[in-house]
Amino acid sequence: MKRRDFLRTAGIATVGTVISANSGLGDIMAAESVTGTRSGAWTGNSNTLKVGLIGCGGRGSGAAEQAMNADENVVLSAMADAFKDQLDNSYDSLKKLFPQKVQVANDHKFVGLDAYKKLIDSDVDVIILAAPPCFRPAHLEYAVNAKKHIFCEKPFAVDGPGMRRIIAAAQKAKAQGTELMSGFCWRYHIPKRETFSRLLDGSIGKILAVEASNNSGELWFHERKSGWTDMEYKLRNWLYYNWLSGDHIVEQAIHSVDLMQWGMNDTLPSRVVATGGRIKRTDPKYGNVYDHFGAKFEYPDGTKAYFSCKQQNNVAHSYGVEFVGEDGKCVVDCMNGQHYITGKNPWKYDDTFKFTDANAYKNAKVKSMYQQEHDELFAAIRNKTLINDFDWAARSNLVALAARMSAYTGQEVTMEQALCSDEKSFPEDLTFDTKYDLPVAIPGL
């Protein structure tokens, strides 16, 4: 049999011991944080899963590290990025962590805006998609068509046409039986699984109102260097251009949108009315994104959800979601690691780590959600159990996108309008010499 066919049919007993995707929560909770095989002799064989990384920034490099830790018989065999310096930095750091497992030959280091095709066309088995969100529809389509297993970072699309492409690609992946896991990491965090399972079982009764927030500080910025074209400068600062990132409500605050959606059993809201703007990050270097949003979502049963997000320094921060029901309240605080229910059915998860502590997950009782999701992905590949998150993950992306569209226009937006929109913000056939930009959106105009 060909190696890839063998991998699709090999059972768990053949390929060694991994954490089963069907393990009980108690077994997983008892496991300490995974450190992986970082030294010692290691030899590849016919059961080895080859991983390819597309997008070698911080999140992509972190995902590659978690992939190496997730399975003893995994190697990183290919890398792709728009920029050589970013690929080299990622390679050097990963090689230090996994001297045996990082086996990326020079002819498997692909650089450029078309590098993703060369990587996907190589002999990799599992693809990590971690380039800026604007590229995700094209990258996901190409990887699905190549029948690769995929870990796809959030978000997946920055406009309606992109949403329709990723939904079609996800449906094709499911039909052909290839794995497709999203980067909504909180869904793989054991304390939150415990909490939301109780919430969805009716611990607080009918949900009447929801409050969600993702209010944080400002992020990185790269000063322009000599020789950079306008497009290279923008690509290296992709956070600040809504046609590259989706704006921060889609790119980062979408985690809180996803928590809100999780608690609402992934039912799509009927409509959203939102506001937003930029009152602090007004320097031209911050492109055309807002620095704050506020939104009100209305669900088909009449439940209203109130959402806020901002990226501003020296202001009060919050990150989490609260559900108020007929019989109590459910609180998930991502900053302070609190998960509890009050009212008729009080409950609290004993979780003491602080999200802001750099060593939090090393000291936590459970492994990080980033590691958990990769453990489950590779276990599913080994066990031939299909994971496809996009039934709900695409919905969370759509909800965040609809809120951004409402804030930009000042109008009420339905989910159908957002999904069916023909407004295309990301240009086709982008090159480093492309001249392209969009103005800051002004509500009402």
Side-chain angles (χ1 to χ4, degrees), residues 140-208:
L140 182 60
E141 281 178 345
Y142 204 86
V144 168
N145 288 339
K147 297 185 178 181
K148 308 290 186 177
H149 301 299
I150 302 166
F151 174 80
C152 184
E153 243 321 329
K154 58 76 201 165
F156 322 115
V158 300
D159 52 29
M163 281 297 311
R164 298 193 292 274
R165 291 175 69 184
I166 67 102
I167 291 171
Q171 290 173 339
K172 183 173 183 179
K174 180 180 289 187
Q176 69 190 18
T178 50
E179 310 290 343
L180 177 55
M181 176 178 282
S182 77
F184 282 118
C185 52
W186 288 127
R187 298 263 185 157
Y188 294 85
H189 188 226
I190 301 304
K192 287 174 181 56
R193 284 178 168 177
E194 292 276 5
T195 306
F196 280 94
S197 67
R198 288 167 170 77
L199 175 68
L200 294 173
D201 280 345
S203 289
I204 67 170
K206 182 184 184 300
I207 295 174
L208 304 176

Side-chain angles (χ1 to χ4, degrees), residues 51-57 60-61 76 78-82 110 112 115-121 124 126-132 135-136 139-140 142-143 151 153:
V51 175
L53 171 61
I54 299 175
C56 301
S61 299
L76 181 66
M79 302 174 73
D81 197 274
F110 306 108
Y116 74 98
K117 293 182 178 179
K118 299 173 183 176
L119 184 145
I120 294 171
D121 289 340
V124 295
V126 186
I127 306 289
I128 296 172
L129 298 180
F135 297 107
R136 202 85 74 228
H139 291 186
L140 182 60
Y142 204 86
F151 174 80
E153 243 321 329

Side-chain angles (χ1 to χ4, degrees), residues 65-85:
E65 178 179 349
Q66 286 125 26
M68 297 302 99
N69 279 329
D71 189 289
E72 291 188 358
N73 205 357
V74 167
V75 297
L76 181 66
S77 64
M79 302 174 73
D81 197 274
F83 306 111
K84 184 178 184 300
D85 60 320

Side-chain angles (χ1 to χ4, degrees), residues 18-19 32-38 49 51-53 55 57-76 90 93-95 97-98 101-102 126-130 151-154 181-186 188 255 355 358 361-362 367-379 381:
V18 296
I19 298 176
E32 294 188 4
S33 180
V34 174
T35 57
T37 304
R38 301 195 176 195
L49 287 169
V51 175
L53 171 61
R59 182 73 280 271
S61 299
E65 178 179 349
Q66 286 125 26
M68 297 302 99
N69 279 329
D71 189 289
E72 291 188 358
N73 205 357
V74 167
V75 297
L76 181 66
S90 176
S93 63
L94 290 169
K95 188 68 173 178
L97 288 174
F98 306 97
K101 285 190 167 187
V102 175
V126 186
I127 306 289
I128 296 172
L129 298 180
F151 174 80
C152 184
E153 243 321 329
K154 58 76 201 165
M181 176 178 282
S182 77
F184 282 118
C185 52
W186 288 127
Y188 294 85
H255 279 302
F355 182 76
Y361 296 121
K362 296 179 182 178
K367 69 183 67 177
S368 82
M369 65 279 195
Y370 301 112
Q371 190 59 59
Q372 184 69 39
E373 56 185 344
H374 284 271
D375 286 357
E376 294 186 19
L377 172 61
F378 282 89
I381 295 172

Side-chain angles (χ1 to χ4, degrees), residues 413-434:
V413 174
T414 67
M415 301 305 109
E416 182 180 22
Q417 288 173 324
L419 181 60
C420 296
S421 170
D422 286 329
E423 183 181 35
K424 194 171 187 178
S425 60
F426 183 63
E428 292 286 346
D429 302 323
L430 190 74
T431 72
F432 287 121
D433 294 321
T434 299

